[in-house]
């Protein structure tokens, strides 16, 4: 399914409707690498997505989209953890809509106490304030676009305490043997 935008009875009234796409194929691929170098545990990810439409549209829409994720994790002594993440996406398109890419950066500091029973986590999202919703519909007679910041920047503090964090002493063996002998 996709969206269609047009003019109502050739007047200056635009409408948007949903329509079925007769034939399309989608291709996805991801590569993830997670090496460990002492206290540094990075994760690198590249995602590829491309949709092939076999119907004529008013816009060239068979270009691929790539997403990039670089997650830098530092596991430090005394139960400290630091993270600095970079995420981005290239421009991509639907049958009649082009979308602009983005880049973002987030960070997190985590400290745990009492064998992970008490955890403090301070995190910030979209620190560069660069995740924008930017798209343009390309339809005959109608040009519709959006370029706005969706207020994704945030800072949060999470405090977690685990009650009864001790492990069960039950080993899970022999519970059925006594019952079998009894029968």
């Amino acid at each position: 399914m996709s969206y269609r935008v047009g003019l109502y009875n050739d007047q200056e009234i635009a409408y948007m409707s949903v329509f079925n796409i007769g034939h399309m194929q989608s291709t996805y691929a991801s590569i993830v690498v997670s090496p460990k170098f002492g206290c540094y545990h990075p994760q690198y990810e590249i995602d590829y997505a491309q949709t092939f439409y076999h119907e004529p549209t008013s816009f060239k829409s068979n270009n691929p989209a790539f997403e990039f994720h670089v997650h830098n994790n530092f596991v430090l002594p005394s139960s400290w953890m630091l993270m600095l993440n970079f995420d981005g996406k290239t421009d991509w398109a639907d049958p009649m809509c082009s979308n602009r890419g983005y880049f973002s950066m987030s960070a997190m500091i985590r400290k745990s106490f009492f064998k992970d029973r008490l955890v403090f986590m301070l995190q910030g999202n979209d620190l560069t304030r660069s995740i924008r919703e930017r798209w343009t519909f390309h339809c005959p007679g109608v040009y519709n676009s959006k370029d706005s910041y969706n207020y994704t920047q945030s800072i949060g503090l999470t405090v977690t305490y685990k009650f009864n964090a001790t492990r069960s002493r039950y080993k899970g063996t022999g519970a059925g043997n006594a019952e079998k002998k009894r029968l």
Side-chain angles (χ1 to χ4, degrees):
M1 289 184 24
S2 186
Y3 295 100
R4 177 180 299 149
V5 178
L7 295 176
Y8 179 72
N9 292 335
D10 292 326
Q11 299 175 16
E12 293 183 8
I13 301 172
Y15 70 92
M16 181 181 295
S17 63
V18 178
F19 72 98
N20 290 326
I21 296 174
H23 182 75
M24 70 177 215
Q25 295 174 329
S26 298
T27 303
Y28 303 96
S30 291
I31 297 173
V32 180
V33 178
S34 300
K36 290 186 179 181
F37 305 106
C39 68
Y40 178 51
H41 302 175
Q43 180 178 354
Y44 307 106
E45 180 178 347
I46 298 175
D47 301 325
Y48 162 81
Q50 186 168 9
T51 303
F52 300 95
Y53 298 97
H54 300 285
E55 293 182 1
T57 63
S58 62
F59 179 68
K60 182 183 183 316
S61 56
N62 289 340
N63 60 330
F66 292 94
E67 284 191 54
F68 306 94
H69 306 280
V70 178
H71 296 178
N72 299 295
N73 302 322
F74 298 92
V75 179
L76 303 174
S78 301
S79 65
W80 281 94
M81 181 185 290
L82 305 173
M83 296 174 73
L84 185 62
N85 300 331
F86 302 97
D87 300 293
K89 188 170 185 177
T90 61
D91 296 350
W92 75 100
D94 294 331
M96 299 202 183
C97 181
S98 61
N99 301 275
R100 298 292 308 266
Y102 64 86
F103 169 80
S104 72
M105 181 175 74
S106 61
M108 189 263 301
I109 299 172
R110 180 184 185 272
K111 172 66 175 155
S112 64
F113 300 93
F114 311 119
K115 297 181 181 178
D116 277 345
R117 289 182 72 167
L118 177 63
V119 177
F120 290 92
M121 187 167 55
L122 177 67
Q123 63 187 104
N125 296 311
D126 193 16
L127 298 177
T128 57
R129 199 175 168 173
S130 57
I131 298 177
R132 299 184 63 83
E133 183 178 358
R134 298 182 294 178
W135 49 261
T136 303
F137 272 104
H138 303 272
C139 296
V142 177
Y143 177 83
N144 190 6
S145 67
K146 180 176 183 178
D147 185 354
S148 69
Y149 178 70
N150 289 338
Y151 303 100
T152 55
Q153 188 176 45
S154 65
I155 294 177
L157 175 65
T158 304
V159 179
T160 306
Y161 184 78
K162 295 178 186 174
F163 294 94
N164 300 327
T166 59
R167 289 187 168 188
S168 172
R169 295 180 187 219
Y170 174 67
K171 301 290 185 196
T173 59
N177 292 334
E179 186 66 23
K180 289 179 193 175
K181 287 180 184 178
R182 189 182 70 80
L183 295 173

